[in-house]
Amino acid sequence: MSFDSEWSQLKADAAGRQSTHTRLNQTDGGGGTGAGSTGDGGSTDLVVHQDDLGAVGHEAFVLHGRLQKAADIAGAGANKDGVGSSMQAAKALSDHNFAMGEALSTTVSVWSSQVKTVLQMCAHISNHLDYSKKRHAEDDELIAASLRHRNGSAVSVSEISELVK
C-alpha cells in the first residue's frame, strides 16, 4: 500500500470516528453558557476526552515509527561508509559529468529535510498530546479534591459537568 493511499485511509478512518469532543469559544447550540462564559454567548469551555487524546497521540507515534523506516531514501542500501544507494548513484553520475548527479543529490537532500520535518511534527504531536492527557487528568483530580458537598464528600467531575450545563 502506498503512503498516499494509506494516509488517505487513515484520514477517512479518523473522520469516521470524529465527533464533537473539543469545543473552544462556542456553545453547544442550546443557547446556554457554561463555566467560563464570555458573556457574549460564546463559551471558553474546553471539553477534552482523554481517550481521544491518547488515540491521536498514539497514531502520531505509530506514523513516526513507520515513516522513519519507510521514507529514509538517503540511508537505503547504504554501503560500508554509510552512504545510501541514491547518493552513491548521484556521485557516480556526477563523476561521469552528468548534470543529473547533482540534481539527484539535491533531491535526496530536500526529501530528507522534508521527512525530518514531518517526523519532528509527529513527535511533537505525540508528546504534546501525552502531556495534555496527563495534565488534564491532574486538573480533574485537583478540581474533584477541592470541591466538596455539604457532607464533605468530593463532587465528581460528572456532577460538575451537570451543574454548568
Side-chain angles (χ1 to χ4, degrees):
M1 178 180 278
S2 74
F3 177 77
D4 289 336
S5 62
E6 188 172 349
W7 180 247
S8 296
Q9 182 62 44
L10 287 171
K11 290 192 307 185
D13 291 349
R17 291 189 310 261
Q18 188 174 5
S19 61
T20 310
H21 289 294
T22 303
R23 295 182 306 148
L24 294 173
N25 296 329
Q26 65 184 19
T27 62
D28 59 6
T33 57
S37 171
T38 60
D40 61 1
S43 172
T44 57
D45 294 346
L46 172 61
V47 178
V48 179
H49 294 276
Q50 292 177 10
D51 292 342
D52 295 338
L53 291 177
V56 172
H58 176 72
E59 290 300 322
F61 176 78
V62 169
L63 177 60
H64 181 278
R66 293 180 69 194
L67 186 60
Q68 191 171 31
K69 291 175 188 171
D72 182 18
I73 64 170
N79 63 13
K80 63 180 170 53
D81 297 323
V83 179
S85 58
S86 294
M87 290 304 284
Q88 292 173 38
K91 182 176 180 337
L93 288 167
S94 293
D95 287 349
H96 288 88
N97 297 320
F98 285 98
M100 186 167 183
E102 185 178 339
L104 180 57
S105 177
T106 300
T107 301
V108 171
S109 296
V110 170
W111 174 262
S112 296
S113 174
Q114 295 296 322
V115 167
K116 286 177 184 175
T117 299
V118 173
L119 288 170
Q120 288 172 350
M121 292 185 314
C122 288
H124 180 72
I125 290 167
S126 178
N127 292 341
H128 183 72
L129 290 177
D130 286 345
Y131 169 80
S132 296
K133 179 180 177 182
K134 181 180 178 211
R135 182 61 196 205
H136 184 65
E138 290 170 357
D139 289 346
D140 282 351
E141 289 173 15
L142 276 172
I143 291 168
S146 66
L147 292 174
R148 303 277 177 200
H149 288 288
R150 289 183 185 155
N151 66 5
S153 64
V155 176
S156 70
V157 174
S158 60
E159 288 177 285
I160 296 167
S161 180
E162 288 299 316
L163 292 172
V164 298
K165 284 186 179 180

